[in-house]
Amino acid sequence: GQQVMQIPQYQHVQEGEDFTTYCNSSTTLSNIQWYKQRPGGHPVFLIQLVKSGEVKKQKRLTFQFGEAKKNSSLHITATQTTDVGTYFCVWMDSSYKLIFGSGTRLLVRP
Amino acid sequence: DAGVTQSPTHLIKTRGQHVTLRCSPISGHKSVSWYQQVLGQGPQFIFQYYEKEERGRGNFPDRFSARQFPNYSSELNVNALLLGDSALYLCASSLVGGAGNEQFFGPGTRLTVL
């Protein structure tokens, strides 16, 4: 079956450093979404990527969808303490089953 | 506009009991999905409903069931509770469901099974 890995599991950075999380799939994905979940909170939608090679930016956040639509990344430039949380990539299979990646937990030292 | 609401916020049950969790989607949203999130893990998909029909089901036992009402609100029922059912249960709504639709999550119901 389809397998998607999200790495790293944890990332602890100094405020101001950059951060990147990756999702890698064994099969082609029709689209991918990214969500952020703050500690004690619920997932919040960040972005959706649909096209091969697509790149989208939201202020300090850059999202990429690979050319083969098998991988995606989220990059945060100059992290801030407000970026703390767990970042999930999410996709839907053909049976409308929504699948969350394992998540990358970001910790930021002030 | 109110976001997705869920009730109750917290619940404590004992093994073998039954529980009903409720979700009201954002006004105008016709699709509701349910997820189980165990501490330290990502949400696991349980069900998706669209226009009162089950559209997708995750790998959960038959003790888990759900339904969607004409006003698009939804209930998740869990029978014969096990200790392992302790988790945060999240409800999410979207306009039409299906791939590519942004999911709006509620605050969740924290279920503890003793």
Side-chain angles (χ1 to χ4, degrees), chain B residues 66-87:
Chain B
R67 54 180 176 167
Q68 187 177 33
F69 298 99
N71 66 354
Y72 301 109
S73 67
S74 178
E75 282 183 356
L76 174 69
N77 294 284
V78 187
N79 292 323
L81 286 167
L82 303 173
L83 295 179
D85 295 331
S86 295

Side-chain angles (χ1 to χ4, degrees), chain A residues 9-10 37 86 88 101-103 105, chain B residues 37-43 110:
Chain A
Q9 186 177 7
Y10 297 96
Q37 186 173 22
T86 302
F88 294 100
S102 52
R105 184 179 174 192
Chain B
Q37 187 173 26
V38 174
L39 194 63
Q41 297 182 17
R110 173 74 60 187

